[in-house]
Amino acid sequence: MKQAEQGARPSMGLLNLNEGEHKYQLTRHAPSEVLRPFVKHYWIVSWDLTGIEAYPQHVVPNPCVNLVVERNNTFFFGPSGRKFTYFVRGKGCVFGVKFKPGGFYPFLRVPVSSLYGQPMNVSSILDVTASAMEDQLLGDGDDAYKINYIDQLLCAHLPVEDTQATLVSSIVQQIEQNREMLRVDDLSSYWNIHKRKLQRLFNQYVGIGPKTVIKLYRLQNAAEWMEQGLHCDLVKMSQDLGYHDQSHFIRDFKSIIGSTPEEYIHAKQPNSERRGPMN
């Protein structure tokens, strides 16, 4: 199967990223060295759509906890197993911390699955109020100031590195990068870890099960290939993604992406009517 061009900007679950970046500005920033076992990156999104129709940015979630700093809506959010949509409207800015899979557990110390559908107040983990954090990270300071602020805040609460969290992060990275990893049995064999132990590890450290993580990455891969025009043979695509039954692939794709594969391909064609997940 064709791969994305070398050097292509990673979407990390943002559907139709090339179109979205005409509506907002997204930057990603590395954390300080001491935080890298725990934090994948910081992200900053800013926009000005004053007088323009709101833009729906669809997101296939990664299996990561995010600290999202948004005016009057600042929380730690656990991973989800379904696509969600953020409506970019008016003028604004959001600052985020994307933790590595497993990287938030050492801060939390209870199963990350407890965050599923239950956002957590920042004061539960960090010695700061949401409003104070919003003033620092959504104000007029430049990006370097904001990154230094969040670096210092997280470092002040730095947990002991957890070897199990490191293992889980490596397992999820294997799922992300190895597109031949299609089933939990594949993970179990590769890492020589019993399936039940994998389930327990993912419940504790990731927050969603390994089967769901595999499905999210593979269907994200499928959507990206369709957007880039790299693969339009849906029968072969479903087989390459490990589906023995194309109807099962179509059901999973629609449940995560919001449209059938055929509708998604049609929506990417320049002269077609916009429909499917962008409705």
Side-chain angles (χ1 to χ4, degrees):
M1 181 177 291
K2 294 182 180 179
Q3 305 292 315
E5 291 181 7
Q6 293 295 323
R9 180 172 171 82
S11 70
M12 296 190 182
L14 296 171
L15 298 181
N16 227 11
L17 178 59
N18 289 338
E19 179 179 338
E21 289 192 319
H22 292 292
K23 305 293 184 178
Y24 54 78
Q25 295 75 50
L26 166 66
T27 58
R28 297 172 179 139
H29 308 269
S32 62
E33 187 69 31
V34 71
L35 287 168
R36 291 182 185 179
F38 310 100
V39 175
K40 188 177 183 70
H41 61 251
Y42 306 134
W43 51 270
I44 303 174
V45 178
S46 58
W47 65 90
D48 187 352
L49 296 184
T50 303
I52 302 174
E53 184 179 1
Y55 176 74
Q57 176 60 67
H58 303 291
V59 183
V60 178
N62 298 148
C64 304
V65 172
N66 276 271
L67 167 57
V68 179
V69 182
E70 181 179 16
R71 189 64 66 183
N72 300 318
N73 190 37
T74 295
F75 295 98
F76 289 103
F77 291 90
S80 170
R82 302 184 67 85
K83 182 196 80 170
F84 65 90
T85 301
Y86 184 91
F87 284 89
V88 182
R89 54 167 56 91
K91 182 177 182 179
C93 176
V94 178
F95 187 101
V97 179
K98 182 184 285 290
F99 291 86
K100 288 185 174 181
F104 187 64
Y105 175 81
F107 292 88
L108 185 64
R109 305 309 302 175
V110 298
V112 177
S113 58
S114 65
L115 295 181
Y116 194 88
Q118 299 288 334
M120 175 177 283
N121 290 322
V122 295
S123 58
S124 300
I125 301 294
L126 305 174
D127 187 22
V128 65
T129 64
S131 60
M133 183 177 286
E134 290 164 13
D135 288 343
Q136 293 292 329
L137 294 176
L138 304 179
D140 295 330
D142 60 19
D143 289 355
Y145 170 83
K146 296 175 182 180
I147 292 162
N148 182 63
Y149 169 82
I150 196 67
D151 261 344
Q152 292 189 20
L153 183 60
L154 291 173
C155 284
H157 300 82
L158 192 69
V160 176
E161 194 168 345
D162 185 322
T163 56
Q164 291 286 81
T166 303
L167 170 64
V168 169
S169 181
S170 297
I171 293 172
V172 174
Q173 185 178 50
Q174 177 74 13
I175 296 172
E176 179 184 10
Q177 296 179 352
N178 183 355
R179 292 173 179 173
E180 302 302 315
M181 201 64 63
L182 303 172
R183 301 175 183 83
V184 179
D185 285 337
D186 298 333
L187 284 181
S188 180
S189 298
Y190 185 91
W191 293 95
N192 194 26
I193 299 175
H194 194 278
K195 285 167 51 176
R196 290 182 182 176
K197 183 176 181 180
L198 278 174
Q199 293 284 359
R200 291 194 297 270
L201 283 172
F202 274 64
N203 176 75
Q204 183 171 353
Y205 285 90
V206 180
I208 53 178
K211 181 178 180 180
T212 300
V213 172
I214 292 171
K215 182 165 72 171
L216 287 174
Y217 276 124
R218 296 295 81 85
L219 294 178
Q220 180 181 319
N221 293 152
E224 289 175 352
W225 290 329
M226 292 177 195
E227 289 174 12
Q228 296 160 9
L230 298 178
H231 202 313
C232 292
D233 184 340
L234 296 181
V235 174
K236 186 175 188 305
M237 178 183 288
S238 64
Q239 293 170 347
D240 288 345
L241 292 171
Y243 288 91
H244 298 296
D245 180 354
Q246 189 184 6
S247 63
H248 187 190
F249 165 62
I250 293 171
R251 285 196 302 272
D252 276 0
F253 190 93
K254 187 170 184 178
S255 73
I256 297 296
I257 306 300
S259 68
T260 67
E262 291 88 348
E263 289 169 341
Y264 198 77
I265 290 173
H266 182 73
K268 304 305 127 187
Q269 295 171 354
N271 296 322
S272 68
E273 177 186 357
R274 302 293 300 183
R275 61 182 186 182
M278 301 307 291
N279 282 345

